[in-house]
């Protein structure tokens, strides 16, 4: 069996790796994987076409600025798919890129099954995206339980396969002890986890706001430790952007560190943290899995902000709030992404036990609804893919 996979960011790399592992479990014959993916997918056997980091742009203005390069890579990728003749094309998230690849492939090889992993958020904004997507995608793997009807209404088959976050390992006591010893975070001392994103554009925009938001928190909790895990693609940039931050942050740098070692250290950081300040995205589910109370903040370029926020059909963008049907996670999006209110929300979480308990309840409900305790999502996704090949 030959499968071509396309992922363009760390969260997609995790999804792709879990899917590949599930396929290898279910299929007796050898499977060849070609395409675009990060270190986790490559560890499962993916032969990369080009580095996944080339696709790490976000927002309308960033896409426009990189349009020529991305358009060339779309064509390069579609040509590679057609030339290799896989049994299916599986695109994972990054719809701005991957759905363009699928469209070119479908136009030249109508018989080739196309699968897209992560349903577009048509329930949140731009509902017509599903109809457009149906022209080139046959089957969808949904992460959220309420998504399949939206896809099926436009003629695509769709299965809810759960979210891999529910099976990701949590920090062990030994990992937590090792982390505390290495970074000098004693038991009982306050720890603040800061996650400003995994893309360069996110770091550029959010790091000044996040740094200023920490000032009123550290004014009231001067001994607090600030912990900042860095994504590989932006690790060097992180050090530059936080030079003026208060609190002498502990930066967790994955460069030159075995992937398993860094993953264990990051798990421990999540477990040690009393509160997290994070960019909007799937990281909210990782925090929920580790039971880390959080504040979510995000901003975009002026043009992207105006377009996206004007089209929103929901009153929250935080996945924990959506899945749990609650609004316990405070979020500061667009014009609301400002240091003072973010800092006040962090202080409240550190000092108000009731607010922390409300979040923990919402997190537990979210994990249950995403499939915790059931068959691994990667395996469910693999079964779904095999059903349409």
């Amino acid at each position: 069996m030959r499968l071509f996979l396309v992922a363009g960011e760390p969260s997609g790399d995790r999804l792709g790796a879990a899917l590949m592992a599930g396929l290898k479990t279910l299929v007796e014959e050898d499977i060849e994987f070609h395409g675009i993916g990060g270190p986790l997918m490559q560890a499962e056997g993916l032969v990369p076409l080009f580095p996944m980091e080339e696709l790490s742009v976000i927002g309308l203005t960033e896409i426009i600025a990189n349009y020529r390069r991305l358009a060339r890579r779309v064509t390069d990728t579609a040509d590679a798919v057609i030339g290799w003749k896989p049994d299916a094309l599986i695109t994972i998230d990054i719809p701005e890129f991957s759905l363009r690849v699928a469209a070119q492939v479908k136009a030249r090889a109508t018989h080739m099954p196309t699968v897209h992993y992560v349903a577009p958020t048509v329930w949140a904004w731009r509902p017509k995206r599903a109809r457009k997507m149906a022209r080139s995608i046959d089957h969808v793997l949904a992460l959220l339980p309420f998504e399949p009807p939206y896809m099926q209404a436009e003629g695509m088959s769709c299965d809810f396969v759960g979210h891999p976050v529910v099976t990701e390992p949590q920090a062990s006591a030994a990992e937590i002890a090792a982390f505390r010893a290495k970074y000098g975070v004693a038991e009982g001392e306050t720890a603040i986890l800061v996650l400003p994103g995994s893309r360069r554009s996110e770091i550029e925009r959010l790091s000044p706001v996040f740094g200023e938001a920490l000032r009123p928190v550290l004014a009231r909790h001067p001994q607090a430790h600030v912990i900042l895990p860095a994504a590989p693609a932006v690790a060097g940039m992180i050090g530059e952007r936080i030079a003026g931050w208060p609190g002498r942050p502990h930066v967790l740098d994955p460069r030159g560190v075995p992937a398993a070692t860094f993953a264990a250290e990051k798990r421990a950081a999540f477990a040690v943290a009393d509160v997290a300040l994070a960019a909007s995205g799937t990281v909210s589910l990782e925090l929920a899995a580790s039971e880390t109370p959080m504040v979510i903040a995000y901003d975009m370029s002026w043009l992207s902000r105006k377009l996206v926020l004007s089209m929103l059909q929901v009153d929250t963008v935080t996945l924990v709030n959506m899945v749990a049907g609650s609004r316990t996670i405070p979020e500061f999006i667009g014009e609301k992404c400002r240091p003072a209110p973010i800092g006040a929300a962090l202080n409240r979480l550190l000092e108000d036990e009731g607010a922390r308990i409300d979040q923990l309840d919402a997190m537990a409900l979210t994990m249950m609804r995403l499939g915790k305790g059931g068959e691994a999502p990667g395996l469910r996704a693999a079964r779904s893919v095999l059903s349409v090949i």
Side-chain angles (χ1 to χ4, degrees):
M1 181 180 292
R2 294 152 68 93
L3 297 173
F4 198 102
L5 296 92
V6 176
E9 56 190 357
S11 60
D13 187 38
R14 290 193 295 273
L15 290 170
L19 169 61
M20 292 164 69
L23 287 164
K24 290 191 291 185
T25 297
L26 296 176
V27 177
E28 293 184 1
E29 64 182 282
D30 290 337
I31 310 178
E32 294 181 67
F33 299 108
H34 280 211
I36 305 164
L40 299 179
M41 291 173 68
Q42 290 178 40
E44 291 293 341
L46 181 82
V47 178
L49 180 64
F50 58 80
M52 184 183 76
E53 289 74 20
E54 289 192 24
L55 305 182
S56 295
V57 298
I58 188 170
L60 179 62
T61 55
E62 290 84 357
I63 291 171
I64 291 173
N66 291 275
Y67 179 79
R68 289 182 182 275
R69 178 174 62 82
L70 290 175
R72 184 171 63 252
R73 281 309 196 186
V74 166
T75 300
D76 291 344
T77 306
D79 288 346
V81 176
I82 296 298
W84 195 54
K85 297 181 175 63
D87 293 294
L89 167 64
I90 304 171
T91 54
I92 306 169
D93 213 355
I94 56 162
E96 300 84 358
F97 180 86
S98 61
L99 295 183
R100 284 177 168 82
V101 172
Q104 287 196 21
V105 169
K106 207 64 170 174
R108 297 159 62 185
T110 57
H111 62 284
M112 186 180 296
T114 51
V115 179
H116 189 67
Y117 200 167
V118 183
T121 54
V122 296
W123 36 267
W125 70 298
R126 291 175 57 201
K128 293 181 180 179
R129 283 178 295 164
R131 184 169 302 170
K132 182 179 180 181
M133 177 174 154
R135 299 171 191 164
S136 55
I137 296 297
D138 302 312
H139 186 66
V140 182
L141 308 177
L143 302 185
L144 305 175
F146 52 79
E147 292 178 320
Y150 292 95
M151 304 297 105
Q152 293 161 351
E154 300 300 339
M156 296 172 283
S157 55
C158 182
D159 291 328
F160 164 60
V161 298
H163 200 293
V165 73
V166 302
T167 59
E168 289 179 0
Q170 299 303 308
S172 67
E175 290 170 343
I176 293 171
F179 182 91
R180 289 190 181 280
K182 180 177 179 178
Y183 292 100
V185 183
E187 193 81 45
E189 291 183 342
T190 300
I192 304 167
L193 187 68
V194 184
L195 301 153
S198 59
R199 293 160 164 163
R200 296 185 67 85
S201 57
E202 292 174 327
I203 304 301
E204 289 276 8
R205 190 162 287 114
L206 296 178
S207 57
V209 177
F210 282 18
E212 288 303 308
L214 290 173
R215 293 191 186 280
V217 182
L218 291 170
R220 288 168 66 163
H221 304 273
Q223 303 305 312
H225 297 265
V226 177
I227 305 165
L228 204 158
V234 295
M237 181 183 183
I238 286 286
E240 299 171 2
R241 294 300 181 272
I242 67 169
W245 280 23
R248 292 177 297 176
H250 305 298
V251 177
L252 313 188
D253 191 338
R255 295 173 298 177
V257 179
T261 301
F262 181 75
E265 192 165 86
K266 183 178 176 181
R267 287 195 298 269
F270 276 53
V272 165
D274 296 283
V275 68
L277 169 57
S280 176
T282 55
V283 71
S284 69
L285 297 181
E286 295 178 55
L287 291 166
S290 67
E291 300 182 345
T292 308
M294 71 189 88
V295 173
I296 298 296
Y298 202 79
D299 200 4
M300 300 149 276
S301 67
W302 179 87
L303 181 57
S304 294
R305 181 198 296 171
K306 293 298 182 183
L307 289 174
V308 172
L309 296 183
S310 69
M311 292 185 283
L312 272 181
Q313 302 181 102
V314 291
D315 65 349
T316 180
V317 298
T318 302
L319 290 171
V320 176
N321 285 342
M322 292 180 189
V323 177
S326 68
R327 297 296 181 266
T328 58
I329 310 298
E331 58 182 40
F332 302 89
I333 310 299
E335 293 180 352
K336 297 179 180 178
C337 185
R338 297 291 179 264
I342 294 171
L346 288 168
N347 272 327
R348 183 182 177 222
L349 270 183
L350 286 170
E351 299 163 7
D352 185 341
E353 188 63 22
R356 296 173 63 83
I357 291 172
D358 287 344
Q359 283 206 14
L360 292 172
D361 289 343
M363 292 173 189
L365 180 58
T366 296
M367 291 299 104
M368 184 272 290
R369 288 180 173 172
L370 291 182
K372 185 174 182 178
E375 186 175 58
L379 197 57
R380 293 171 65 177
R383 292 189 196 281
S384 184
V385 167
L386 294 174
S387 73
V388 297
I389 295 180

